[in-house]
Amino acid sequence: MCRPSLQLLFLPLLLLLLLGLLLRRGAQGKPSPDVGPHGQARVHQATPLSDAPHDDAHGNFQYDHEAFLGREVAKEFDQLTPEESQARLGRIVDRMDRAGDGDGLVSLAELRSWIAHTQQRHIRDSVSAAWDTYDTDRDGRVGWEELRNATYGHYAPGEEFHDVEDAEAYKKMLARDERRFRVADQDGDSMATREELTAFLHPEEFPHMRDIVIAETLEDLDKDKDGYVQVEEYIADLYSEEPGQEEPAWVQTERQQFRDFRDLNKDGRLDGSEVGYWVLPPSQDQPLVEANHLLHESDTDKDGQLSKAEILQNWNMFVGSQATNYGEDLTRHHDEL
Ligand SMILES: *[C@@H]1O[C@H](CO)[C@@H](O)[C@H](O)[C@H]1NC(C)=O
């Protein structure tokens, strides 16, 4: 069942939003009434290691490849022959070990820090792509005005939106973006550094962005402005009642979710800290989970560490190649029979 608000949205929500806005402005189409973060994804997931399903049981190691190499490099490996792929993997094993204690074996900690490093590189790359869009004067800084102009078009400060239908919605989003930018811009110079733009785009990665994310969510949901989210406000964000229609089962389930998992102190409403627990859930250490998995699956002699030989024996789990994909296709075909 597809519940609009709780779908896991893996791209930074804001980028999608901005793209949507740009397209809408370009196309002069009808803005939908709930344009914006509304109803798209409330929960700010920590940046995932991969969007592919973790489906090792069916010989599909794409998740592991992307977690271990990053999406771009994983694609490069797919172009290699098995021999080239293994040779490159061998060099990565040396680097993982050298970055740690250099004892010739890859420990869980070394594997974890390699995967965490890969994940951080992915975040950096996504911010770099945004940077190229926003730093329009190419001076190595992204000013709030630059970001605003690149996103919302060239209006003078205070000027009304005039060529869009839902000017009010745009105004709200602009105000919200500006406020988030001000919080991300920790030194208050109205210029974002890479780090500050990262906080703006990936607030879930930064403790100092927590309050603003909670405030944004509360503002969206707390229609009666009493500072809390009641169950009806929570449901209204997900589903609009059709007169004379019975409430679908998934909405009933959401009501139960609210009672069982969101309203932690059982007072019938969500306060800021309960909203925070919901939209910025304490994230598990994904690199550690993946490192444990790779280690467990490849540690043939069960000594708790991986030798280069063990990794190379299981090379198609860590990295791919065209030949591997060919093998996977055969497996898939076999499964369908
Ligand atoms: C943004 O657009 C406004 C209106 O065209 C212009 O006055 C301002 O100089 C622009 N700012 C930047 C930083 O490009």
Side-chain angles (χ1 to χ4, degrees):
M1 185 74 56
C2 200
R3 292 184 317 240
S5 280
L6 293 174
Q7 278 175 350
L8 309 183
L9 201 74
F10 291 116
L11 280 172
L13 171 62
L14 218 91
L15 280 180
L16 283 184
L17 197 70
L18 302 186
L19 184 68
L21 262 180
L22 288 174
L23 292 178
R24 208 168 282 118
R25 267 180 73 76
Q28 294 295 309
K30 250 191 211 160
S32 83
D34 65 355
V35 62
H38 315 263
Q40 291 190 34
R42 287 279 163 221
V43 181
H44 295 249
Q45 294 292 327
T47 309
L49 300 178
S50 162
D51 291 343
H54 207 174
D55 186 27
D56 293 1
H58 296 89
N60 178 0
F61 297 122
Q62 198 193 334
Y63 181 97
D64 301 301
H65 296 170
E66 292 186 359
F68 185 71
L69 297 170
R71 291 165 214 206
E72 291 310 311
V73 181
K75 267 186 229 147
E76 280 171 33
F77 266 79
D78 283 339
Q79 305 308 311
L80 303 177
T81 65
E83 293 74 24
E84 289 165 340
S85 181
Q86 288 171 40
R88 241 181 111 175
L89 176 60
R91 292 194 292 275
I92 291 177
V93 174
D94 294 337
R95 273 171 64 191
M96 280 194 291
D97 181 36
R98 270 204 311 274
D101 58 10
D103 69 348
L105 293 170
V106 173
S107 66
L108 179 66
E110 286 164 352
L111 195 50
R112 182 202 168 273
S113 81
W114 173 267
I115 294 167
H117 172 84
T118 299
Q119 184 184 31
Q120 288 308 309
R121 194 181 61 219
H122 173 70
I123 293 175
R124 268 204 314 279
D125 289 350
S126 89
V127 171
S128 288
W131 191 272
D132 292 341
T133 309
Y134 296 141
D135 183 17
T136 42
D137 63 7
R138 302 274 175 260
D139 71 343
R141 303 183 302 171
V142 169
W144 160 247
E145 264 198 36
E146 256 179 313
L147 191 148
R148 189 200 60 198
N149 286 357
T151 310
Y152 294 92
H154 289 256
Y155 294 95
E159 187 187 347
E160 291 294 317
F161 289 115
H162 40 73
D163 55 353
V164 292
E165 273 181 50
D166 199 347
E168 277 311 304
Y170 280 64
K171 247 169 97 173
K172 271 198 194 136
M173 273 189 291
L174 175 64
R176 179 191 187 102
D177 278 354
E178 178 164 10
R179 197 181 49 179
R180 190 194 279 198
F181 188 94
R182 301 278 173 224
V183 179
D185 173 27
Q186 281 192 291
D187 60 6
D189 65 353
S190 287
M191 285 283 171
T193 60
R194 292 257 167 179
E195 179 80 2
E196 288 166 343
L197 189 67
T198 308
F200 177 78
L201 295 171
H202 298 269
E204 66 285 350
E205 306 283 329
F206 294 83
H208 73 271
M209 299 299 288
R210 190 175 177 88
D211 287 350
I212 190 76
V213 170
I214 293 172
E216 288 174 5
T217 313
L218 263 172
E219 265 163 37
D220 288 342
L221 271 60
D222 176 23
K223 299 294 182 213
D224 65 6
K225 301 292 165 210
D226 67 348
Y228 298 92
V229 177
Q230 276 79 16
V231 66
E232 291 311 327
E233 291 169 337
Y234 179 84
I235 295 298
D237 181 52
L238 301 169
Y239 166 73
S240 27
E241 255 177 271
E242 301 283 336
Q245 252 180 33
E246 208 184 314
E247 197 167 86
W250 70 264
V251 178
Q252 306 276 348
T253 309
E254 275 306 327
R255 289 180 187 279
Q256 197 60 43
Q257 289 268 340
F258 181 94
R259 281 191 290 271
D260 293 348
F261 303 112
R262 308 272 176 257
D263 180 15
L264 301 172
N265 66 359
K266 309 295 170 204
D267 66 350
R269 57 191 194 177
L270 309 186
D271 60 20
S273 85
E274 288 164 329
V275 167
Y277 196 83
W278 163 38
V279 298
L280 295 165
S283 54
Q284 55 175 349
D285 186 336
Q286 303 176 70
L288 181 62
V289 171
E290 177 65 10
N292 254 317
H293 165 67
L294 291 175
L295 186 103
H296 179 79
E297 295 297 322
S298 321
D299 186 13
T300 316
D301 65 7
K302 303 289 168 212
D303 68 345
Q305 308 208 64
L306 295 180
S307 65
K308 194 187 238 183
E310 284 171 328
I311 292 178
L312 289 178
Q313 269 157 26
N314 291 283
W315 69 282
N316 60 357
M317 181 163 188
F318 289 82
V319 299
S321 81
Q322 273 175 340
T324 312
N325 285 342
Y326 180 68
E328 279 173 17
D329 288 346
L330 287 181
T331 317
R332 245 180 244 131
H333 193 67
H334 183 79
D335 278 348
E336 281 160 14
L337 293 178

mmCIF file of all heavy atoms in Angstrom, residues 266-295:
data_model
loop_
_atom_site.group_PDB
_atom_site.id
_atom_site.type_symbol
_atom_site.label_atom_id
_atom_site.label_comp_id
_atom_site.label_asym_id
_atom_site.label_seq_id
_atom_site.Cartn_x
_atom_site.Cartn_y
_atom_site.Cartn_z
ATOM 1 N N LYS A 266 1.406 9.102 25.424
ATOM 2 C CA LYS A 266 -0.015 8.719 25.445
ATOM 3 C C LYS A 266 -0.943 9.820 25.959
ATOM 4 O O LYS A 266 -1.881 9.549 26.694
ATOM 5 C CB LYS A 266 -0.215 7.439 26.300
ATOM 6 C CG LYS A 266 0.702 6.281 25.946
ATOM 7 C CD LYS A 266 0.440 5.738 24.546
ATOM 8 C CE LYS A 266 1.530 4.745 24.145
ATOM 9 N NZ LYS A 266 1.685 4.595 22.693
ATOM 10 N N ASP A 267 -0.638 11.078 25.547
ATOM 11 C CA ASP A 267 -1.557 12.139 25.954
ATOM 12 C C ASP A 267 -2.451 12.558 24.786
ATOM 13 O O ASP A 267 -3.118 13.590 24.842
ATOM 14 C CB ASP A 267 -0.798 13.348 26.518
ATOM 15 C CG ASP A 267 0.047 14.051 25.447
ATOM 16 O OD1 ASP A 267 0.195 13.487 24.327
ATOM 17 O OD2 ASP A 267 0.564 15.146 25.721
ATOM 18 N N GLY A 268 -2.441 11.747 23.717
ATOM 19 C CA GLY A 268 -3.367 11.990 22.609
ATOM 20 C C GLY A 268 -2.888 13.004 21.592
ATOM 21 O O GLY A 268 -3.608 13.348 20.662
ATOM 22 N N ARG A 269 -1.682 13.510 21.752
ATOM 23 C CA ARG A 269 -1.172 14.501 20.804
ATOM 24 C C ARG A 269 0.352 14.430 20.787
ATOM 25 O O ARG A 269 0.971 13.890 21.705
ATOM 26 C CB ARG A 269 -1.634 15.898 21.224
ATOM 27 C CG ARG A 269 -1.188 16.231 22.626
ATOM 28 C CD ARG A 269 -1.853 17.478 23.175
ATOM 29 N NE ARG A 269 -1.113 17.892 24.372
ATOM 30 C CZ ARG A 269 -1.386 18.992 25.068
ATOM 31 N NH1 ARG A 269 -2.352 19.787 24.699
ATOM 32 N NH2 ARG A 269 -0.685 19.301 26.122
ATOM 33 N N LEU A 270 0.934 14.988 19.711
ATOM 34 C CA LEU A 270 2.391 14.968 19.588
ATOM 35 C C LEU A 270 2.953 16.339 19.922
ATOM 36 O O LEU A 270 2.538 17.346 19.358
ATOM 37 C CB LEU A 270 2.816 14.615 18.161
ATOM 38 C CG LEU A 270 2.206 13.372 17.518
ATOM 39 C CD1 LEU A 270 2.863 13.117 16.158
ATOM 40 C CD2 LEU A 270 2.343 12.158 18.416
ATOM 41 N N ASP A 271 3.904 16.361 20.826
ATOM 42 C CA ASP A 271 4.628 17.612 21.066
ATOM 43 C C ASP A 271 5.897 17.607 20.207
ATOM 44 O O ASP A 271 6.152 16.664 19.453
ATOM 45 C CB ASP A 271 4.948 17.780 22.561
ATOM 46 C CG ASP A 271 5.807 16.642 23.083
ATOM 47 O OD1 ASP A 271 6.463 15.943 22.268
ATOM 48 O OD2 ASP A 271 5.828 16.441 24.313
ATOM 49 N N GLY A 272 6.681 18.674 20.315
ATOM 50 C CA GLY A 272 7.867 18.809 19.477
ATOM 51 C C GLY A 272 8.803 17.607 19.582
ATOM 52 O O GLY A 272 9.324 17.143 18.573
ATOM 53 N N SER A 273 8.998 17.090 20.776
ATOM 54 C CA SER A 273 9.980 16.008 20.893
ATOM 55 C C SER A 273 9.430 14.722 20.275
ATOM 56 O O SER A 273 10.172 13.939 19.677
ATOM 57 C CB SER A 273 10.407 15.810 22.357
ATOM 58 O OG SER A 273 9.511 14.970 23.022
ATOM 59 N N GLU A 274 8.107 14.510 20.371
ATOM 60 C CA GLU A 274 7.526 13.333 19.708
ATOM 61 C C GLU A 274 7.569 13.487 18.185
ATOM 62 O O GLU A 274 7.820 12.512 17.466
ATOM 63 C CB GLU A 274 6.088 13.110 20.196
ATOM 64 C CG GLU A 274 6.044 12.587 21.629
ATOM 65 C CD GLU A 274 4.678 12.723 22.289
ATOM 66 O OE1 GLU A 274 3.927 13.677 21.952
ATOM 67 O OE2 GLU A 274 4.359 11.887 23.145
ATOM 68 N N VAL A 275 7.343 14.702 17.705
ATOM 69 C CA VAL A 275 7.463 14.955 16.263
ATOM 70 C C VAL A 275 8.901 14.667 15.823
ATOM 71 O O VAL A 275 9.144 14.029 14.798
ATOM 72 C CB VAL A 275 7.065 16.407 15.909
ATOM 73 C CG1 VAL A 275 7.490 16.760 14.490
ATOM 74 C CG2 VAL A 275 5.559 16.594 16.065
ATOM 75 N N GLY A 276 9.872 15.105 16.629
ATOM 76 C CA GLY A 276 11.274 14.869 16.307
ATOM 77 C C GLY A 276 11.603 13.383 16.242
ATOM 78 O O GLY A 276 12.313 12.934 15.343
ATOM 79 N N TYR A 277 11.075 12.637 17.182
ATOM 80 C CA TYR A 277 11.337 11.200 17.215
ATOM 81 C C TYR A 277 10.777 10.522 15.972
ATOM 82 O O TYR A 277 11.345 9.567 15.451
ATOM 83 C CB TYR A 277 10.699 10.593 18.472
ATOM 84 C CG TYR A 277 11.220 9.221 18.796
ATOM 85 C CD1 TYR A 277 12.414 9.056 19.499
ATOM 86 C CD2 TYR A 277 10.527 8.083 18.383
ATOM 87 C CE1 TYR A 277 12.900 7.799 19.783
ATOM 88 C CE2 TYR A 277 11.007 6.817 18.663
ATOM 89 C CZ TYR A 277 12.192 6.683 19.365
ATOM 90 O OH TYR A 277 12.678 5.438 19.643
ATOM 91 N N TRP A 278 9.672 11.087 15.489
ATOM 92 C CA TRP A 278 9.023 10.532 14.293
ATOM 93 C C TRP A 278 9.765 10.932 13.013
ATOM 94 O O TRP A 278 10.159 10.077 12.216
ATOM 95 C CB TRP A 278 7.564 11.006 14.262
ATOM 96 C CG TRP A 278 6.880 10.884 12.938
ATOM 97 C CD1 TRP A 278 7.013 9.868 12.028
ATOM 98 C CD2 TRP A 278 5.939 11.814 12.373
ATOM 99 N NE1 TRP A 278 6.221 10.112 10.932
ATOM 100 C CE2 TRP A 278 5.551 11.296 11.119
ATOM 101 C CE3 TRP A 278 5.396 13.018 12.815
ATOM 102 C CZ2 TRP A 278 4.642 11.957 10.296
ATOM 103 C CZ3 TRP A 278 4.477 13.663 11.990
ATOM 104 C CH2 TRP A 278 4.107 13.137 10.749
ATOM 105 N N VAL A 279 9.986 12.239 12.773
ATOM 106 C CA VAL A 279 10.524 12.660 11.474
ATOM 107 C C VAL A 279 12.041 12.562 11.390
ATOM 108 O O VAL A 279 12.600 12.511 10.292
ATOM 109 C CB VAL A 279 10.064 14.084 11.066
ATOM 110 C CG1 VAL A 279 8.561 14.134 10.920
ATOM 111 C CG2 VAL A 279 10.559 15.142 12.017
ATOM 112 N N LEU A 280 12.706 12.534 12.533
ATOM 113 C CA LEU A 280 14.159 12.338 12.538
ATOM 114 C C LEU A 280 14.475 11.170 13.461
ATOM 115 O O LEU A 280 15.050 11.357 14.529
ATOM 116 C CB LEU A 280 14.867 13.609 13.022
ATOM 117 C CG LEU A 280 14.734 14.841 12.130
ATOM 118 C CD1 LEU A 280 15.143 16.095 12.874
ATOM 119 C CD2 LEU A 280 15.563 14.696 10.858
ATOM 120 N N PRO A 281 14.078 9.981 13.056
ATOM 121 C CA PRO A 281 14.247 8.836 13.954
ATOM 122 C C PRO A 281 15.721 8.603 14.246
ATOM 123 O O PRO A 281 16.562 8.876 13.390
ATOM 124 C CB PRO A 281 13.647 7.664 13.169
ATOM 125 C CG PRO A 281 13.669 8.088 11.738
ATOM 126 C CD PRO A 281 13.569 9.587 11.731
ATOM 127 N N PRO A 282 16.030 8.138 15.449
ATOM 128 C CA PRO A 282 17.424 7.820 15.747
ATOM 129 C C PRO A 282 17.883 6.785 14.731
ATOM 130 O O PRO A 282 17.267 5.734 14.608
ATOM 131 C CB PRO A 282 17.378 7.234 17.160
ATOM 132 C CG PRO A 282 15.942 7.115 17.530
ATOM 133 C CD PRO A 282 15.101 7.759 16.496
ATOM 134 N N SER A 283 18.890 7.122 13.957
ATOM 135 C CA SER A 283 19.218 6.223 12.844
ATOM 136 C C SER A 283 20.213 5.174 13.306
ATOM 137 O O SER A 283 21.074 5.441 14.138
ATOM 138 C CB SER A 283 19.784 7.022 11.675
ATOM 139 O OG SER A 283 20.865 7.803 12.119
ATOM 140 N N GLN A 284 20.079 4.015 12.748
ATOM 141 C CA GLN A 284 21.048 2.983 13.053
ATOM 142 C C GLN A 284 22.326 3.288 12.283
ATOM 143 O O GLN A 284 22.329 4.059 11.337
ATOM 144 C CB GLN A 284 20.498 1.618 12.676
ATOM 145 C CG GLN A 284 20.057 1.530 11.225
ATOM 146 C CD GLN A 284 19.630 0.122 10.865
ATOM 147 O OE1 GLN A 284 19.845 -0.808 11.615
ATOM 148 N NE2 GLN A 284 19.023 -0.031 9.708
ATOM 149 N N ASP A 285 23.387 2.693 12.724
ATOM 150 C CA ASP A 285 24.679 2.877 12.066
ATOM 151 C C ASP A 285 24.693 1.996 10.819
ATOM 152 O O ASP A 285 25.093 0.839 10.851
ATOM 153 C CB ASP A 285 25.786 2.472 13.050
ATOM 154 C CG ASP A 285 27.172 2.776 12.508
ATOM 155 O OD1 ASP A 285 27.334 2.863 11.272
ATOM 156 O OD2 ASP A 285 28.090 2.917 13.328
ATOM 157 N N GLN A 286 24.204 2.585 9.691
ATOM 158 C CA GLN A 286 24.079 1.775 8.471
ATOM 159 C C GLN A 286 25.413 1.201 7.996
ATOM 160 O O GLN A 286 25.465 0.042 7.607
ATOM 161 C CB GLN A 286 23.490 2.601 7.335
ATOM 162 C CG GLN A 286 22.148 3.223 7.615
ATOM 163 C CD GLN A 286 21.734 4.104 6.442
ATOM 164 O OE1 GLN A 286 21.419 3.615 5.368
ATOM 165 N NE2 GLN A 286 21.758 5.408 6.638
ATOM 166 N N PRO A 287 26.504 1.996 8.009
ATOM 167 C CA PRO A 287 27.776 1.411 7.575
ATOM 168 C C PRO A 287 28.189 0.215 8.430
ATOM 169 O O PRO A 287 28.731 -0.767 7.914
ATOM 170 C CB PRO A 287 28.776 2.571 7.743
ATOM 171 C CG PRO A 287 27.938 3.794 7.578
ATOM 172 C CD PRO A 287 26.626 3.455 8.233
ATOM 173 N N LEU A 288 27.882 0.270 9.725
ATOM 174 C CA LEU A 288 28.239 -0.860 10.585
ATOM 175 C C LEU A 288 27.393 -2.090 10.256
ATOM 176 O O LEU A 288 27.907 -3.209 10.200
ATOM 177 C CB LEU A 288 28.063 -0.473 12.059
ATOM 178 C CG LEU A 288 28.433 -1.579 13.059
ATOM 179 C CD1 LEU A 288 29.907 -1.953 12.938
ATOM 180 C CD2 LEU A 288 28.105 -1.144 14.493
ATOM 181 N N VAL A 289 26.089 -1.869 10.011
ATOM 182 C CA VAL A 289 25.219 -2.991 9.667
ATOM 183 C C VAL A 289 25.725 -3.670 8.393
ATOM 184 O O VAL A 289 25.831 -4.903 8.317
ATOM 185 C CB VAL A 289 23.759 -2.501 9.468
ATOM 186 C CG1 VAL A 289 22.877 -3.594 8.899
ATOM 187 C CG2 VAL A 289 23.189 -1.978 10.780
ATOM 188 N N GLU A 290 26.063 -2.856 7.388
ATOM 189 C CA GLU A 290 26.523 -3.414 6.117
ATOM 190 C C GLU A 290 27.883 -4.096 6.279
ATOM 191 O O GLU A 290 28.124 -5.164 5.715
ATOM 192 C CB GLU A 290 26.579 -2.310 5.048
ATOM 193 C CG GLU A 290 27.109 -2.728 3.691
ATOM 194 C CD GLU A 290 26.236 -3.760 2.955
ATOM 195 O OE1 GLU A 290 25.100 -4.031 3.401
ATOM 196 O OE2 GLU A 290 26.706 -4.298 1.937
ATOM 197 N N ALA A 291 28.768 -3.483 7.063
ATOM 198 C CA ALA A 291 30.097 -4.083 7.284
ATOM 199 C C ALA A 291 29.947 -5.448 7.951
ATOM 200 O O ALA A 291 30.590 -6.424 7.558
ATOM 201 C CB ALA A 291 30.959 -3.152 8.132
ATOM 202 N N ASN A 292 29.074 -5.533 8.942
ATOM 203 C CA ASN A 292 28.809 -6.805 9.616
ATOM 204 C C ASN A 292 28.314 -7.861 8.640
ATOM 205 O O ASN A 292 28.733 -9.024 8.692
ATOM 206 C CB ASN A 292 27.723 -6.597 10.683
ATOM 207 C CG ASN A 292 28.319 -6.603 12.069
ATOM 208 O OD1 ASN A 292 29.168 -7.429 12.379
ATOM 209 N ND2 ASN A 292 27.886 -5.656 12.890
ATOM 210 N N HIS A 293 27.415 -7.419 7.769
ATOM 211 C CA HIS A 293 26.830 -8.329 6.787
ATOM 212 C C HIS A 293 27.913 -8.875 5.841
ATOM 213 O O HIS A 293 28.026 -10.087 5.653
ATOM 214 C CB HIS A 293 25.746 -7.575 6.021
ATOM 215 C CG HIS A 293 25.302 -8.224 4.769
ATOM 216 N ND1 HIS A 293 24.615 -9.415 4.743
ATOM 217 C CD2 HIS A 293 25.453 -7.849 3.472
ATOM 218 C CE1 HIS A 293 24.357 -9.742 3.492
ATOM 219 N NE2 HIS A 293 24.857 -8.813 2.700
ATOM 220 N N LEU A 294 28.714 -7.973 5.275
ATOM 221 C CA LEU A 294 29.757 -8.405 4.333
ATOM 222 C C LEU A 294 30.759 -9.319 5.037
ATOM 223 O O LEU A 294 31.214 -10.317 4.476
ATOM 224 C CB LEU A 294 30.480 -7.193 3.741
ATOM 225 C CG LEU A 294 29.661 -6.311 2.782
ATOM 226 C CD1 LEU A 294 30.459 -5.074 2.375
ATOM 227 C CD2 LEU A 294 29.242 -7.098 1.530
ATOM 228 N N LEU A 295 31.096 -8.967 6.268
ATOM 229 C CA LEU A 295 32.063 -9.775 7.005
ATOM 230 C C LEU A 295 31.497 -11.162 7.281
ATOM 231 O O LEU A 295 32.136 -12.183 7.010
ATOM 232 C CB LEU A 295 32.414 -9.084 8.328
ATOM 233 C CG LEU A 295 33.533 -9.790 9.091
ATOM 234 C CD1 LEU A 295 34.836 -9.023 8.931
ATOM 235 C CD2 LEU A 295 33.223 -9.940 10.563
#
